[in-house]
Amino acid sequence: MRLYRFLTAVDDASFCHKVTAALNKGWHLYGSPTYAYDAGQQTMRCGQAVVKDIEGQDYVAGETKLSDW
């Protein structure tokens, strides 16, 4: 199965740490990062899609927990 996650965080070191942690768990960058203003929080936010291929497992909507991988 191929898993997809979209990681977001405030534009500070926490975003870089979140992406680095995912990469060290075997996730791969997918596409370019995004950058947008969050008017509600009055701050800039970053986003990055990541994917991971898992052999021998089937994806089950509502049951497959992305955080387990």
Side-chain angles (χ1 to χ4, degrees):
M1 79 177 145
R2 175 167 261 198
L3 302 175
Y4 170 91
R5 293 177 67 191
F6 187 71
L7 307 174
T8 63
V10 174
D11 180 25
D12 62 15
S14 67
F15 176 72
C16 294
H17 287 287
K18 187 180 283 191
V19 173
T20 298
L23 294 174
N24 279 283
K25 290 181 180 178
W27 293 82
H28 300 276
L29 299 177
Y30 185 81
S32 299
T34 60
Y35 194 61
Y37 182 69
D38 180 342
Q41 299 294 318
Q42 297 184 342
T43 188
M44 295 302 291
R45 295 189 63 85
C46 297
Q48 174 66 57
V50 293
V51 294
K52 186 174 188 179
D53 292 316
I54 308 294
E55 297 296 326
Q57 298 288 324
D58 292 323
Y59 173 77
V60 180
E63 292 182 24
T64 300
K65 294 183 180 181
L66 299 177
S67 60
D68 289 347
W69 303 98

